[in-house]
Amino acid sequence: MFIRKPWNLQTVEFEYIPSFEGKMDIATGIIGLAFTAVLIYAGIITSTFAMIAAAAVYAACAAWGAYQWRLRRTPMKRQIKVGGVKHRLYLRSRWLFALYAAAVRLADFAAIITLYYLIQNNQVLSSVMYDEIQQWLSMLPLVLGITGIDYLSYYYFLRTPVNMRRIVK
């Protein structure tokens, strides 16, 4: 049902106004800073590097969102794959699309952090998963913000007039 051959996929490029995406980035930055502060207060995050990295990422996210919302006046371009699993899920059920995209982003996040610590420390997988990933738990709002931006990409794509879309591949 969801299996598509690679030649049925198309990459489509379209333009959109980035003000709503900027508001989402600002919300992600503020929620992320608050979530990081709660995790630091609870004692879950003890690494200084993780604290500084999370604060810098969320401050940059909020600044980028402010730029998109208030200062950027030209449309942005976005490319998406049409005919794939994400596109079909978006067309059938928005909630399933959000769950699928969040699960994929969380799996990517866990794999990257695990690989980073395995290369750095040469530890076994179980100790890395429990001890070190909790230091990066503050990045959870960023993962969910990226999921929201994926959702907005398909939302803008379907509301863009057909003559404003361009097939890239």
Side-chain angles (χ1 to χ4, degrees):
M1 179 166 97
F2 286 113
I3 305 293
R4 289 287 185 186
K5 296 181 173 75
W7 55 83
N8 289 339
L9 299 177
Q10 293 180 340
T11 303
V12 178
E13 184 178 75
F14 62 96
E15 293 183 352
Y16 66 97
I17 298 172
S19 64
F20 192 66
E21 185 175 327
K23 292 176 188 178
M24 183 172 283
D25 285 340
I26 291 171
T28 301
I30 291 171
I31 290 169
L33 284 173
F35 187 67
T36 303
V38 167
L39 290 177
I40 291 171
Y41 181 74
I44 295 174
I45 298 177
T46 57
S47 169
T48 307
F49 179 72
M51 291 179 204
I52 293 171
V57 164
Y58 288 125
C61 186
W64 175 250
Y67 166 73
Q68 284 182 323
W69 180 34
R70 287 295 186 189
L71 300 176
R72 186 175 178 105
R73 296 292 174 224
T74 59
M76 293 181 72
K77 290 185 180 179
R78 174 80 37 103
Q79 291 183 357
I80 61 169
K81 294 274 187 190
V82 177
V85 174
K86 287 172 79 173
H87 181 236
R88 292 176 58 114
L89 271 176
Y90 184 85
L91 293 176
R92 289 179 187 237
S93 172
R94 312 270 200 250
W95 288 104
L96 285 178
F97 170 83
L99 287 174
Y100 173 78
V104 168
R105 295 293 179 186
L106 286 173
D108 291 345
F109 173 71
I112 289 170
I113 296 299
T114 303
L115 183 64
Y116 170 73
Y117 278 110
L118 282 174
I119 290 172
Q120 181 185 15
N121 299 331
N122 288 333
Q123 295 179 348
V124 295
L125 186 63
S126 62
S127 66
V128 170
M129 288 299 288
Y130 181 73
D131 296 333
E132 303 296 338
I133 286 187
Q134 72 180 1
Q135 296 295 321
W136 294 98
L137 186 63
S138 62
M139 293 296 166
L140 183 64
L142 182 67
V143 171
L144 297 178
I146 293 171
T147 301
I149 291 173
D150 285 346
Y151 183 87
L152 281 179
S153 297
Y154 285 101
Y155 177 81
Y156 285 138
F157 168 72
L158 290 177
R159 278 144 184 86
T160 303
V162 176
N163 60 352
M164 301 285 289
R165 302 176 192 167
R166 186 173 64 95
I167 298 175
V168 178
K169 292 181 186 178

